[in-house]
Amino acid sequence: KKMADDDQTLFVMTKRVKEALELINALDDSKLAVIVKRLVKNVGEKGAPFTKEELEQLQDLLSLAEGQVDTVLEGCAFFLERSAYHVIQPTQLSAHLQATGMIQSHARAFSGVWEAEATGVLQRLRAVRQGTYPTLESVDWRLHVQTASSGLTKLAEPRTILSLKLKNPDNTSEVVPMELTHDQMVTLLTQLDTAQQQLDAL
């Protein structure tokens, strides 16, 4: 049940994706692997993965119409981009894809390419994002205890004050203050721990 819920979240099966999956399943798995190898190198890049001439060659190679080739490429790119976004392990990707309805040999072709290329893709995406988003330079914190009165009762309400010093892409810096309750701090640390585990697993 949990796997099914995870798959539904990972790959949202729209009508377009279902059409792509049907076409993908009809392809020869060796030809699919060649396409996926080309597409995975384009994840995070702005340019088109295939030239106009190469797309015409794909139509002949796959015996598909132009629109069908576009659907196949969009579907494959969708699976790869979602895998990168969720940092899916190669050993898990095949099971995720089969849960969507992809046949086993094709799911294995995908996961085989992902196993060889995932590290490079994720490093490339990190490099792109580092040029887009602020980076963390330092963290400062202090504990703040505010005393609140309610009748004759005094309640201590401890909060953590975080100060995040960020460096923007234009080399300017800013400090972002955050005030967190104990529960909010626990939630933040849990999410950071999960992110760290995913990074360590790469």
Side-chain angles (χ1 to χ4, degrees), residues 9-77:
T9 302
L10 182 62
F11 300 124
V12 180
M13 299 303 291
T14 63
K15 181 181 178 181
R16 182 72 168 173
V17 174
K18 291 178 180 177
E19 291 174 354
L21 185 59
E22 184 177 349
L23 291 170
I24 289 170
N25 279 337
L27 297 178
D28 180 270
D29 57 349
S30 61
K31 294 178 181 178
L32 175 64
V34 173
I35 293 173
V36 175
K37 284 180 183 178
R38 184 68 169 271
L39 288 173
V40 77
K41 295 183 182 298
N42 199 65
V43 175
E45 299 289 348
K46 294 182 179 180
F50 294 95
T51 65
K52 182 179 180 180
E53 293 74 17
E54 288 173 332
L55 288 174
E56 293 173 351
Q57 292 173 6
L58 276 179
Q59 291 179 45
D60 295 334
L61 178 66
L62 304 177
S63 299
L64 295 176
E66 180 180 356
Q68 290 177 315
V69 170
D70 290 340
T71 300
V72 166
L73 296 180
E74 288 175 11
C76 290

Side-chain angles (χ1 to χ4, degrees), residues 51-114:
T51 65
K52 182 179 180 180
E53 293 74 17
E54 288 173 332
L55 288 174
E56 293 173 351
Q57 292 173 6
L58 276 179
Q59 291 179 45
D60 295 334
L61 178 66
L62 304 177
S63 299
L64 295 176
E66 180 180 356
Q68 290 177 315
V69 170
D70 290 340
T71 300
V72 166
L73 296 180
E74 288 175 11
C76 290
F78 168 75
F79 291 131
L80 291 170
E81 288 167 1
R82 294 296 289 175
S83 298
Y85 180 81
H86 287 279
V87 197
I88 298 302
Q89 296 301 307
T91 53
Q92 299 173 341
L93 180 57
S94 179
H96 280 291
L97 290 172
Q98 289 181 62
T100 68
M102 186 178 293
I103 59 179
Q104 186 180 69
S105 59
H106 290 40
R108 286 179 174 175
F110 254 95
S111 61
V113 173
W114 186 241

